[in-house]
Structure formats: structure tokens, C-alpha cells
Amino acid sequence: AVGERKRGEALVRAIADAQSFSGRGSLAQRGRGLGDHAVLPESRPNRPWGKPPSALFFISGDLASGAGNLIDELLRTAGFRNAAADYGLSFTGTVPLETLLARPPAVIISTGQGRSAALRRRLLPNVPEAAFPRALINCGGPSIPPALEQLRAIRARL
Amino acid sequence: MSRAGKLGLLTFALAAAFALALIAGKVWVPIDAWTSADPRWPIIVELRLPRALLGLTVGAVLGLAGAVLQGLLRNPLADPAVVGVSSAAALGAVAVLIFGTSLGPWGGFGGAMLAATGAMALLAALTWRTQDVVSFVLAGTVLASLAGALTAFLISLAPNPYAVAAAIDWLMGALTDRSWDDLARAGPFMAAGAMLLAATGPALDALTLGEDTARSLGVSTRRTQLLAILGTGLTVGASVAVTGVVGFVGLVVPHLLRPVFGARPSALLLPSALGGATLVLVADSLCRLVPGAGEVRLGVAMALIGAPFFLWLLARREARGWN
């Protein structure tokens, strides 16, 4: 949709609306003009209940992503901590179950069945798992608002 | 030192490596956690123990297959990869990883075993007429190249980048997060194959005198070759089906142990199995110990350990010869 400036601005507004918290520079301001890299704000400031719960997001199979990418920002915006970043994952990679068992996340969000999913469920019966449509995180853009909505819903259920 | 003494020493090294495999990792699990109600208990029982047992069996069959193939082909370059079975098994597993993700945990294993069996049958058929080891090696090498090319082709057809990542990750070989189920799936095939391989011992000794002499001693080259193909197919096929491709073990271990146990092929089979198991367990423990969230892939670690070692052997060979 090159040249569709109005539709582009509407999209940016939709993304900004999706992040319900106001406060510091909203995405609509920072991301005005689609050439800019969309940067979502850090998680809610002055959280009354302390550290946000950690979420391990499997983008596919057993693959998770560390800090500094769209999923990481989405998680933080939705009020989570990215467990993969806590574990020290620098890019996208697998997290061994040993690491998970030693420091289980508050929730596991997955887009499908990984090779070790069955074993993981057996070893971590108390960690809730939420399904997430992979189409929403294949890249940024129009899918950001529904992705954030889904993550917030998961967050609310914890 | 007597042979029994050397074998005892090797067994002790294996036991030590096994203990290390249970204790070492991102989470160190001390011995006292074994008796108390330690929260790290599931790490041992559900993760470390099946993984260590799988590493032990995979290492043992790879070492054994390497020793048998080096004896059969009377070629120090032989290792399970030359038979083409590991590449074929990898092809089968990648095909399922990319196109058959809905097949469940048995899918990948079945795909790899099916492809390994196919490669075995093809190799047996190709080499049935000739009793010449050169055609055996050539046929295996061609099969390996074909399977490698087809694997790359399949990866290029992957529907999404995640499937590519999964396939490549799997090709590097790892014991990470393998469960009792994996061991139960692969174990029987590896055990059956190991028995076939072990049965080649006497024939391999006779073959050191040359094919004609061996035949005059009543050794059937064809039968030995078939045993080696079936044994390698079952052991390596099953091991690739659960761990991915782990190279170098079958090549390096017999070379390492030949100066210690002598050049007689049958005398090298058991030590190579013990040595292979030890090597894989130590390498896998190192894989778990690297800093960071993830683990180094076992296939990569094996190559990093195996290649320099092999080059060192090669340099030493100038002075001492292969035996």
C-alpha cells in the first residue's frame, strides 16, 4: 500500500490505541510516518505489584527470542517479562528444558507443538500454557493491535 | 597392561563420563540431591538420565560401526558416514520436519528409519554383485551426496523460515531434551544393529589377510558386507533418527584406540564401543556447560573436538604409520 498515507496513519493510530496505557511518548507520535521504526514503550511504569510475570513465547516449535525484537517489545508492552531474555538468549534459539525447570516462567505462550512440548508439559504441569496464532507475529504492522490484545488477554487470565 | 586391564580402565572412564553427564549442566546437580527430595530430581530422572543413556548408546554404536567399517574396508578413512546411511536418515527426518509436522513424535523417527532402510537396501543391491570394497565405498559416498543434495532441496522448499530453522537445528545433532520415549524408540534398533555388527568380528580378522585368503578360510565377503550394511543401517539410522547427525565418533575412536588395543579388527570392536560412548558423553556434557541460555549442538562440538584431533593423528602418522 505504497502512497496510502491516510491508511498508514490510521494504522499507526490503531496500534497506538491498542496500547491502552497513556504516558510516555506514544507510538502514534514516535512512529508517525511509516518509515520510522515502530518502537513500543517500555512496560507500565510504577507497577504497583512489583516485577511483571515472566512469559516464555515460543514463536515456532521450540524456538524463542531474546531481547530487542518485536515479540520482546510486545510482551513487555502487554505487561510481561520476556523469560527468554531472562535466561540469556541473545537471538532466536531453543531453550533447554533444564533451564526451564530451574526457573519456570509464569506462563508459556506457544504457536504450535515443538518437539519437546509433550515432555515439557509433563515436567511443568503447573505452568499454564496459552496458544497464540502465529500469523499475528510473523511481522509487525497491522497485526500488532490484535497481537497485543491477545497477549493482554493472556496476561489478564494469570 | 593386559587387555582386560585396559578394558577395565576404559569402562571406568565410561562410568566417570556417565556420572559427569548426570551431574554437569546449566544446573549442577550434586550427588546428595539423589537421595533427598530435591527439586532438581526431575532434572535427573526425566532429562539427564535418558539423555545420558541415549548418549551412551549412540556413542557406542557409532564407535562400533566405525570400527567395523574400518575393518571391513581396510581403510582408515571409513566411518559410518561413508555408507550414506546417516545422510539418508537425515533426509528422512528433515522431510518429516518440513512437510509432516502433523505426524507426531513417531513421524520424524519413522521418516528417518524408512530413509535409512531404503539407503541400506539400495547399497546392498548395488554392491551385491561385486565383492570389491572400492565399489562399496563409492556407492555409499554417492548415496551420501545424493541424500545431502535432496536434504538441501527439501529445506529450500520449506513453507516458512521457522521450518528451515528447525531442520537446520536438527541437522546439527543434539541430545538436548531427549526423553525416555526417544530412548525406547531407538534402543531396540540400535541393539539389534549392534549385534549384527559384533557378529562381523571373526570375518574382519580373516579379511586383514586379503579377500582371497579370507575366502579360502571360508569367510563370505558378501555375508560380512551385508551384516555391516544392515548393522550400520539399523544403528546409525536409529541414532540419527533421535539425535540428528553426529559425526567424527566413528572415525576418531577406532584410530584413538588402535595403538592401545592392537590392529586386529575384532579386538577393536568392544573398545571402540566403550570409547565412543565415553567420547559422546563427555562432549555432550561440554555442550550443556557452555555459558548462555542455549546449548552447543553435539554435532558441532564433536566436529570441534574431532577435527583437530584427527589432524594431530594425521601429523603423527608421518612418523608411525596408521597402525
Side-chain angles (χ1 to χ4, degrees), chain A residues 85-140:
Chain A
D86 283 356
Y87 297 143
L89 207 65
S90 11
F91 302 105
T92 300
T94 52
V95 182
L97 281 177
E98 284 192 15
T99 308
L100 264 181
L101 234 69
R103 290 156 71 195
V107 62
I108 288 173
I109 305 169
S110 64
T111 59
Q113 295 277 341
R115 190 183 192 287
S116 60
L119 182 60
R120 185 181 70 225
R121 280 178 205 135
R122 200 165 74 229
L123 292 177
L124 295 167
N126 299 324
V127 175
E129 194 166 328
F132 196 88
R134 183 157 75 204
L136 291 186
I137 41 106
N138 277 342
C139 63

Side-chain angles (χ1 to χ4, degrees), chain B residues 265-289:
Chain B
S266 71
L268 205 57
L269 299 188
L270 179 61
S272 294
L274 294 173
T278 311
L279 182 61
V280 166
L281 284 175
V282 171
D284 187 47
S285 299
L286 293 178
C287 289
R288 275 199 307 269
L289 284 173

